[in-house]
Amino acid sequence: MILRSALFLSLLSSAAWSDEIWVTNEKDDTVSVIDVDTLEVIQTYPTGERPRGITFSHDFSRLYICASDSNSVQVMDPNTGEILHDLPSGEDPEQFVLHPDDVHLYIANEDDAITTVVDVETRRVVAQIDVGVEPEGMAVSPDGKIAITTSETTNMAHWIDTETQELFANTLVDSRPRHAEFTRDGKQMWVSSEIGGTVTVFDVETQTEIGKMEFEIAGIHPDRVQPVGFEFSEGDETVFVALGPANHIAAVNAETFEVEDYILVGRRVWHMAFNGDKSQLFTTNGVSGDVTVIDVASREAIKTIKVGRFPWGAAYRPTN
Amino acid sequence: MKGRTHISAAIFAALWGTSVLADVDVTIGYLSVITPPPPTLSRLDEIPENLGSAGAITGIEDNQTTGRFLNHNYSLNQTAVDIDGDYLAAAADLLAASPYLVIDAPMDALIAIADLPSAQGAMLFNASAQDQSLRSTDCRANLLHTIPSNAMETDALAQLFVSRRWDDIVMIAGTYPADTAYAEAMRNSVRKFGMRMGDEKTWAFDADMRRAASAEVPLFTQDFGDYDVMVVADEVHDFGRYILYNTWEPRPVAGSEGLTATAWAPVIEQWGAAQLQSRFTEAHDRAMAPVDYAAWAAVRTVGEAVTRTNSGDFDTLRAYILSDDFELAGFKGRPLTYRAWNGQLRQPIAIAHPRALVATAPLDGFLHHINELDSLGLDRPESQCEAFE
């Protein structure tokens, strides 16, 4: 009876063509699929061990998942939840980024101090690049020419020339860099530092620091304000920064680098994904095991959705 | 094919890297003064031969990976000497090669080394001695401490007792100096957090016991009456393991056994610790112990200072390490810094049993007007250390 109604629900939801947010559950070895319209979990699929990084191919027909403890990147059919095959990924893949060419995955191998470049079509390793200790944050410039790896214990952003697959610059940042993003115009590259408590902005052309922001929340010790994941709003005007165990998302003015708002979310907030028109933001809250939905216009949390244990990464999938 | 080209290019770069002079070349010494453990009732515990030095090696490797991108080079000089041997000469040898020396030695040896003429103008790191007085009346300006003091650990436990409302506390202490020091630290911590130590007993059984320790414990603990938690001060790990589940009243056991407070434990996995644990275990084929962690933190302290100052100059590095700008990411969820009044590394303390982490101190609600981490151990007004002024 229960099974049948679940089946009915899933048929119903796919018939309704709702967009989805996919979330990896690090300690449940699953992905949860959230319906963006009903804000409910409509599917949970099993994955390899310790799933963390998650991203879709450009046509959203394939889902890539970093199964860290299985030492592979899994490729899933998002329509069926079936694992199609594994990609060679190097040891302990934690986070990755898909190149604009839709073919090359740049993968951070956390235990090996290596960034692995994999061709998703030939399923072969194209290059392995030595980087600092515990690589994690991964980004690629909009023109595809530069890839970034941040290393958590070396405390650097490593700049990779994607044509030669070699490092051309290494820039120091504050302690435990976690996440990196380019602005849409490709002129700036942003890096969050978890223990340093800062987000640093680099000028891409010169690889020099042009700004740094700090965060301050009344009643929370500065040591516990730990920037991790962040995303740019529509038009790159605002940056939403997850502050880890401070349990807040900061809304930062991307031009002045000033914090405009703090939004209370679940415990130890990690990463986030927007819906299609970027009117809603979905944050993964590691410790509380849920996802907070933020209304971007009002900057208010509107709902909490229970997912699996230790949700980590999030990715958006349109179905229309 | 392309992959292979890259691998050979990487090897070439590595060879090339070693053949040119580094911009900064830093050697760090590691000295262990080996003290044979006293006889204990159980022989289950194996003390690894590379205790401490394994942590230093992992620290050097971490420094080296970072140094590769900045043209900074690190190397480790290791020596081990028996406590009856000439450890002062060994320390002087290491200090002749480098002013940075990480030491695993008991307090008396540590002070003698710190007072060597060749140690003046050096930076020594204490990776194992937990004595309170080293952070107070016996402190030295050239001696930093990456291992927490006994008091930091017993304060952590006391905070947990307060938060669990286990305020009726009894204690059994052994008779070795380490046991009595731990017991004294526990008494102070209980008082510091507004509780009162109840009955105490001394475990002083010699060969005359005539029964297995486990058979002795129910009777031995019967006259404690009722209480909330039993503290065991058995730092040499002699009898403590037989107290658990053998007490007359069914109560939790904490201290040296059962629920312990420690700088590092294999059950710590949050805050990226899983990565340090797996890196260490892969390299050394065993779990990381507190002394390994303290040695790692000492070596990483030097590395972090070199990275941030881009300098190998001793005065520059020392000033940076003791400044407000210094912070070490130590896989404990907060930046680690040194206390300016006694050279102790501020750090969260894990409260754990062998299978899981129970809590991390400072616990929520234990506030401090400057830094919550200073609710653990000797705060500025409590320390009588004047060497850093």
Side-chain angles (χ1 to χ4, degrees):
Chain A
M1 186 58 205
I2 292 166
L3 240 174
R4 198 182 305 159
S5 63
L7 194 68
F8 173 69
L9 251 174
S10 78
L11 284 172
L12 186 80
S13 70
S14 61
W17 299 109
S18 293
D19 294 347
E20 296 158 353
I21 296 287
W22 289 57
V23 173
T24 48
N25 299 307
E26 183 181 353
K27 296 201 174 173
D28 256 355
D29 301 347
T30 55
V31 285
S32 303
V33 185
I34 295 168
D35 180 313
V36 167
D37 289 341
T38 62
L39 302 183
E40 274 168 16
V41 174
I42 49 169
Q43 279 292 355
T44 304
Y45 295 119
T47 65
E49 290 174 41
R50 204 180 181 196
R52 291 192 280 180
I54 178 170
T55 197
F56 282 96
S57 62
H58 292 175
D59 65 359
F60 299 95
S61 67
R62 293 181 310 277
L63 175 69
Y64 301 108
I65 304 161
C66 283
S68 301
D69 285 0
S70 300
N71 297 321
S72 69
V73 166
Q74 296 187 309
V75 183
M76 181 183 275
D77 177 350
N79 291 318
T80 61
E82 188 191 342
I83 303 287
L84 301 172
H85 55 264
D86 286 3
L87 292 172
S89 66
E91 291 263 310
D92 195 22
E94 174 167 9
Q95 177 68 293
F96 51 20
V97 65
L98 186 61
H99 191 273
D101 66 12
D102 205 21
V103 172
H104 290 103
L105 263 183
Y106 283 74
I107 307 168
N109 298 122
E110 192 172 24
D111 270 1
D112 271 3
I114 282 174
T115 295
T116 298
V117 188
V118 173
D119 182 320
V120 299
E121 286 170 357
T122 63
R123 303 182 198 170
R124 280 172 196 272
V125 172
V126 174
Q128 291 204 307
I129 304 148
D130 283 323
V131 292
V133 185
E134 291 168 38
E136 167 148 348
M138 296 296 307
V140 65
S141 61
D143 63 7
K145 287 182 179 163
I146 305 170
I148 299 286
T149 299
T150 66
S151 48
E152 285 171 1
T153 294
T154 293
N155 303 321
M156 279 182 180
H158 305 281
W159 303 65
I160 300 165
D161 179 334
T162 56
E163 242 167 67
T164 61
Q165 312 291 15
E166 278 172 17
L167 300 177
F168 68 92
N170 301 285
T171 45
L172 274 173
V173 292
D174 288 336
S175 289
R176 274 188 96 67
R178 278 285 191 171
H179 189 76
E181 289 279 343
F182 282 86
T183 49
R184 208 163 35 172
D185 61 11
K187 288 185 177 150
Q188 293 177 357
M189 197 278 291
W190 293 44
V191 178
S192 63
S193 293
E194 182 182 30
I195 291 290
T198 56
V199 172
T200 306
V201 183
F202 286 93
D203 173 56
V204 170
E205 191 149 331
T206 58
Q207 300 102 46
T208 50
E209 190 178 314
I210 52 172
K212 189 187 274 192
M213 59 214 80
E214 293 182 353
F215 304 90
E216 202 179 304
I217 305 176
I220 299 177
H221 192 277
D223 284 2
R224 294 180 69 85
V225 180
Q226 302 181 353
V228 274
F230 60 88
E231 292 293 333
F232 289 92
S233 69
E234 189 63 39
D236 280 7
E237 283 159 4
T238 311
V239 184
F240 290 92
V241 184
L243 297 176
N247 309 334
H248 280 76
I249 294 275
V252 181
N253 183 311
E255 232 169 75
T256 63
F257 305 153
E258 301 218 337
V259 182
E260 295 173 343
D261 274 307
Y262 290 104
I263 306 156
L264 182 66
V265 292
R267 297 188 65 131
R268 203 172 180 197
V269 55
W270 269 129
H271 287 287
M272 62 192 80
F274 283 102
N275 65 345
D277 61 6
K278 294 201 173 185
S279 62
Q280 288 181 339
L281 181 62
F282 295 75
T283 71
T284 56
N285 311 317
V287 171
S288 50
D290 49 32
V291 164
T292 301
V293 187
I294 292 169
D295 177 64
V296 172
S298 65
R299 293 184 182 169
E300 275 176 16
I302 54 170
K303 193 177 178 189
T304 302
I305 304 164
K306 171 102 184 72
V307 288
R309 294 189 293 181
F310 287 78
W312 198 94
Y316 163 72
R317 178 189 184 227
T319 48
N320 290 306
Chain B
M1 191 60 205
K2 206 172 174 191
R4 199 180 298 162
T5 333
H6 279 287
I7 289 165
S8 59
I11 292 169
F12 174 71
L15 289 170
W16 185 73
T18 53
S19 67
V20 292
L21 280 176
D23 292 343
V24 179
D25 219 317
V26 181
T27 298
I28 300 172
Y30 186 89
L31 175 66
S32 57
V33 179
I34 301 161
T35 321
T40 54
L41 289 169
S42 154
R43 300 200 163 271
L44 289 171
D45 297 334
E46 213 175 293
I47 298 171
E49 262 184 38
N50 60 356
L51 183 68
S53 64
I57 289 168
T58 295
I60 288 281
E61 281 166 359
D62 286 0
N63 287 352
Q64 192 70 14
T65 310
T66 303
R68 214 174 50 205
F69 301 106
L70 299 166
N71 212 14
H72 298 162
N73 191 47
Y74 300 87
S75 48
L76 187 70
N77 264 350
Q78 284 187 64
T79 308
V81 195
D82 202 82
I83 187 80
D84 299 324
D86 193 352
Y87 55 78
L88 290 178
D93 279 352
L94 288 168
L95 286 166
S98 161
Y100 312 104
L101 180 58
V102 184
I103 308 171
D104 166 16
M107 177 167 119
D108 293 346
L110 208 51
I111 291 175
I113 293 167
D115 289 342
L116 280 174
S118 54
Q120 309 318 304
M123 187 180 281
L124 313 180
F125 293 91
N126 164 24
S128 68
Q130 301 193 270
D131 311 68
Q132 180 90 318
S133 72
L134 277 171
R135 283 87 173 162
S136 188
T137 48
D138 290 321
C139 73
R140 296 293 186 271
N142 58 353
L143 181 60
L144 305 181
H145 312 274
T146 49
I147 193 86
S149 63
N150 277 330
M152 288 167 74
E153 295 183 351
T154 53
D155 281 352
L157 275 181
Q159 290 189 358
L160 186 85
F161 295 165
V162 170
S163 72
R164 295 282 192 272
R165 303 188 182 199
W166 296 346
D167 50 13
D168 193 350
I169 304 157
V170 299
M171 180 159 69
I172 304 175
T175 53
Y176 287 97
D179 302 341
T180 50
Y182 187 92
E184 182 57 27
M186 194 73 233
R187 281 181 211 109
N188 290 337
S189 296
V190 164
R191 200 180 315 124
K192 174 174 170 179
F193 290 100
M195 299 173 291
R196 206 182 57 80
M197 182 64 82
D199 291 342
E200 291 185 39
K201 292 184 90 167
T202 303
W203 183 275
F205 289 92
D206 55 18
D208 211 24
M209 194 163 64
R210 308 198 188 183
R211 278 203 288 191
S214 52
E216 202 64 51
V217 171
L219 193 62
F220 184 72
T221 56
Q222 188 178 8
D223 48 5
F224 278 123
D226 195 14
Y227 55 91
D228 294 325
V229 59
M230 175 176 289
V231 173
V232 174
D234 174 32
E235 290 291 276
V236 304
H237 302 288
D238 181 18
F239 63 93
R241 72 183 76 219
Y242 301 106
I243 304 289
L244 283 90
Y245 307 107
N246 284 321
T247 51
W248 185 262
E249 292 290 336
R251 294 289 179 270
V253 173
S256 305
E257 298 290 347
L259 190 66
T260 56
T262 178
W264 195 252
V267 293
I268 301 175
E269 55 180 343
Q270 261 199 27
W271 315 113
Q275 273 67 249
L276 178 62
Q277 304 273 25
S278 69
R279 200 153 70 237
F280 183 92
T281 302
E282 198 166 307
H284 307 293
D285 216 14
R286 63 174 176 83
M288 192 177 204
V291 179
D292 297 311
Y293 179 80
W296 174 88
V299 171
R300 280 289 300 124
T301 294
V302 177
E304 183 67 16
V306 171
T307 302
R308 296 292 172 187
T309 60
N310 192 27
S311 166
D313 175 61
F314 179 83
D315 293 332
T316 307
L317 295 181
R318 186 179 194 278
Y320 181 77
I321 287 168
L322 293 174
S323 75
D324 289 342
D325 292 334
F326 177 84
E327 57 179 34
L328 183 67
F331 303 93
K332 292 187 172 194
R334 282 173 183 240
L336 312 185
T337 52
Y338 286 90
R339 285 180 183 149
W341 55 92
N342 64 1
Q344 170 69 53
L345 185 69
R346 282 188 188 95
Q347 54 192 301
I349 299 291
I351 304 169
H353 64 78
R355 298 281 293 156
L357 186 71
V358 173
T360 302
L363 273 79
D364 280 349
F366 289 88
L367 304 179
H368 187 278
H369 60 294
I370 296 168
N371 187 332
E372 287 158 26
L373 290 173
D374 288 336
S375 68
L376 304 170
L378 287 179
D379 200 358
R380 189 187 289 269
E382 295 159 337
S383 171
Q384 291 170 50
C385 177
E386 288 169 3
F388 285 82
E389 283 169 11

